[in-house]
Amino acid sequence: AENGLSGHTYFPHWGLPAALAFTVLVGLVAAPGSMPSWLARLPRRRWEIGCSAVAIGITAIWLLPDVYRDQNLIRANFDVQYNLMFSADDILSVADGRSPLVNYIGQYTSLLPYAVAPILGLFHYTIAAFTGAMTCLTLAGFLCVHRVLRRVTRDPRTALALYVPFVAVSVYPIAIFGDQRLSEAADYAIFPLRYLGPCVLAWLCARHLDGAAPGRRFWLFALGGLVALNNVEFGLPALGATFVALLLAAPPDRLLRRTVGLARDIVLGVLAAGAVVCVLTLLRAGALPNFGYVTYYARTFGIAGIGDLPMPPLGFHLVIYMTFVGALLTAVVRARRAASGATLTGML
């Protein structure tokens, strides 16, 4: 309704049967002994390289319609033009001499402008540079999800099979106007200003649980603190989810000791993230950050109720919620039973 598409059917009537058929196909492909012998003999490294290349290619193709230039933005759909104003304002605030958390309140992001704006300056802050940079960051966020699936499944084929529908559903066209494909990826306030940080944090959390770098929990929580300061609505839940993931991945007999250690590390990590931001703003603006600005828009929208629409008692949203509940319960059961595979337990 917010985009003027009230009553729009987002998925075709054949979507559910196709999804079920795809699920069965993935199960058959991933089953032991299902591959032809000549494919099974291929070196694992080739599977890794091939599946990763396919994941990158598919994601890039899906995201290409979201790159606009100065010449064609005028012909873009109004939703693209309208949303671009707010996401571009946040990123280009640094180019305009502002400093987020000091004399600029970011609606969607507080820290990303410091990193992205100088790069855009090399290309004279053109529309093509901005939309191209946002799309590249979106690509990076999606590939973080692919790497999470790769570590959880421990099979590049299964990870790719699960990743393809994830990308397709995430950027499924909400509407088609001529040769334009309007999807959520065209609103850069969603991808990547909100989701990039949580996706990177999830990838590093999966690596940590799998025994890879970062080996120390402090660094994971320090990054989580930066993600939360960048966008509190998505970053704070991601930080909390990281804490729970590391907690559930511990053996049940060490739960209390693990909880105390994690509480210490998350406090130290968040304090370190805050210190980094303080040093950043002091060097740039000569002033300490106002951390109250982090929740300014969340409080504004929450109090004003902007964009809030009543939800029906029954609907597809219940399927989404129950999926989350099922994942959480599965993780708790695995943790209680000390099931093998801490990475899967934690990421669930």
Side-chain angles (χ1 to χ4, degrees):
E2 187 179 13
N3 293 324
L5 298 172
S6 179
H8 180 77
T9 301
Y10 288 94
F11 299 103
H13 63 278
W14 48 264
L16 181 58
L20 294 175
F22 184 83
T23 302
V24 174
L25 180 62
V26 170
L28 293 176
V29 171
S34 60
M35 281 196 307
S37 57
W38 65 274
L39 280 177
R41 288 195 296 268
L42 285 178
R44 191 171 187 83
R45 181 170 178 78
R46 291 190 178 183
W47 277 111
E48 293 283 358
I49 296 175
C51 290
S52 297
V54 171
I56 295 172
I58 288 176
T59 310
I61 291 173
W62 272 95
L63 295 178
L64 276 178
D66 305 309
V67 179
Y68 292 87
R69 300 179 299 148
D70 303 64
Q71 295 89 338
N72 66 358
L73 182 63
I74 190 63
R75 297 190 296 273
N77 181 263
F78 174 74
D79 283 344
V80 175
Q81 299 173 350
Y82 179 79
N83 292 321
L84 183 65
M85 294 188 294
F86 304 104
S87 55
D89 277 354
D90 278 5
I91 294 296
L92 298 180
S93 61
V94 173
D96 194 36
R98 301 285 180 171
S99 297
L101 296 180
V102 177
N103 53 13
Y104 179 85
I105 305 176
Q107 184 169 349
Y108 302 112
T109 176
S110 298
L111 301 182
L112 205 57
Y114 290 112
V116 177
I119 298 175
L120 297 182
L122 301 176
F123 301 92
H124 309 291
Y125 305 109
T126 62
I127 294 296
F130 176 77
T131 61
M134 293 297 99
T135 303
C136 288
L137 291 177
T138 301
L139 174 67
F142 274 112
L143 293 180
C144 285
V145 175
H146 173 259
R147 300 315 299 171
V148 169
L149 293 173
R150 171 62 187 87
R151 288 204 173 260
V152 167
T153 61
R154 304 198 179 279
D155 185 342
R157 299 166 299 151
T158 307
L160 179 62
L162 294 173
Y163 176 71
V164 170
F166 169 80
V167 175
V169 172
S170 297
V171 294
Y172 188 87
I174 298 173
I176 298 176
F177 303 97
D179 55 359
Q180 292 189 64
R181 301 295 187 267
L182 182 62
S183 74
E184 297 292 351
D187 184 359
Y188 310 112
I190 300 175
F191 303 107
L193 301 190
R194 283 171 168 151
Y195 272 114
L196 176 62
C199 287
V200 173
L201 187 58
W203 170 52
L204 293 179
C205 182
R207 287 178 54 87
H208 175 84
L209 291 173
D210 211 24
R216 293 186 59 189
R217 299 176 307 211
F218 166 81
W219 296 112
L220 201 59
F221 287 130
L223 175 63
L226 293 175
V227 171
L229 290 174
N230 180 66
N231 181 274
V232 68
E233 293 95 337
F234 284 57
L236 189 59
L239 175 61
T242 303
F243 181 90
V244 175
L246 300 185
L247 182 64
L248 289 182
D253 58 335
R254 301 178 185 173
L255 190 59
L256 180 59
R257 183 188 307 173
R258 182 83 162 189
T259 303
V260 173
L262 286 172
R264 177 201 62 211
D265 289 340
I266 194 172
V267 170
L268 293 176
V270 171
L271 288 176
V276 169
V277 175
C278 288
V279 172
L280 175 64
T281 60
L282 275 174
L283 292 176
R284 175 178 170 80
L288 290 172
N290 184 342
F291 290 112
Y293 288 168
V294 171
T295 60
Y296 177 85
Y297 275 102
R299 289 183 282 112
T300 300
F301 283 111
I303 294 172
I306 298 174
D308 288 350
L309 297 174
M311 298 181 70
L314 298 176
F316 187 70
H317 60 283
L318 293 180
V319 177
I320 303 297
Y321 292 155
M322 293 310 298
T323 301
F324 292 154
V325 171
L328 290 171
L329 290 178
T330 304
V332 171
V333 171
R334 287 177 56 87
R336 293 292 296 175
R337 293 181 177 179
S340 60
T343 305
L344 176 57
T345 301
M347 298 316 295
L348 280 172

